[in-house]
Amino acid sequence: MTQRVALVTGAMGGLGTAICQELAKAGHKVVASYHPQFDNKDAWLQEMAEAGFKDFVCVAGDVSSLEDCEKMVTEAEAAAGPVDILINNAGITRDKMFAKMEKDGWDAVISTNLTSLFNMTKQVSAKMAARGWGRIINISSVNGVKGQAGQTNYSAAKAGVIGFSKALAAELAAKGVTVNVICPGYVATKMVMAIKPEVLQSIIDTVPMKRLAKPEEIGGACAYLASDIAGFMTGATMNINGGLYYQ
Ligand code: CAA
């Protein structure tokens, strides 16, 4: 297979780590983008090396900043070559019932989870189209499709991710660049484990499979969407949620 350069945002989180690993297993050169305030980069790299993933390139930046995204992609290209595969995975939660939600919690989630797609994709999409091959994979959420109490900000941003992807897919379909969305359900990561245990248990009770997703179950889907064999799939939304919700 052709080795390609894959840039993953939010790479050092639970889901991001699994995505990096599955892309590396598929033979790609991985660029791990992380927030500059994340202070465990060296420990993460060490852990990856011990797991057999020795040559990840790292770039630091805040995906809610257009300037940071420009800088990260410039650094990625210098270190690894043109970005062929972009995984917009970085995301945060600021869960609160709408009655209690403040503007800063709204703005933080919209800018990190949605405006980031503009900021990152802007750096790579025209170049992918000019080369005639590219993969853009955006991580949304089951809660962007079904809505979740306590997540008006997150559900709005994740629904926006789907709309963005469908529109861009239509623009790039004839250029060899696919744009697809993965909507994970509840995955066993730090983000989900931050939910109060009794609330989380009540959520798991509603999942027909009665469990959380393993991060690699999402990472594996990214590797598929990034492959040549997925070339006819664009504008699609993959639901990976243990049966929690169907569109
Ligand atoms: N539907 C409707 N109403 C609900 C509700 C629900 N699912 N859950 C709670 N409420 C109601 C409660 O009954 C309560 O009503 P009263 O005030 O009338 O009694 C009110 O909302 C407040 O509920 P809480 O006591 O839970 O309020 P809180 O301030 O302690 O907590 C919360 C609010 C932080 C949002 C908490 O409910 C929560 O964590 N909910 C889960 C949110 C969630 O699923 N987040 C996913 C995070 S992981 C992720 O986002 C990854 C991904 O993509 C899946």
Side-chain angles (χ1 to χ4, degrees), residues 7-17 19-20 32-35 63 87-91:
L7 192 158
V8 181
T9 67
M12 297 180 189
L15 203 46
T17 297
I19 294 170
C20 290
S33 146
Y34 68 102
H35 196 285
V63 290
I87 319 279
N88 284 310
N89 165 66

Side-chain angles (χ1 to χ4, degrees), residues 15 92-98 100 113 139-144 146 148-151 154-155 158 183-187 189-196 198-200 202-203 244:
L15 203 46
I92 58 169
T93 52
R94 294 283 184 277
D95 292 0
K96 278 218 166 100
M97 291 298 169
F98 185 66
K100 291 188 194 159
N113 296 11
I139 306 300
S140 176
S141 164
V142 64
N143 292 343
K146 79 168 184 62
Q148 169 63 42
Q151 289 200 303
Y154 187 88
S155 296
K158 293 300 192 179
C183 287
Y186 285 76
V187 186
T189 62
K190 223 157 87 179
M191 179 187 274
V192 168
M193 294 311 178
I195 302 172
K196 278 187 282 183
E198 63 278 16
V199 175
L200 181 56
S202 72
I203 290 168
L244 178 58

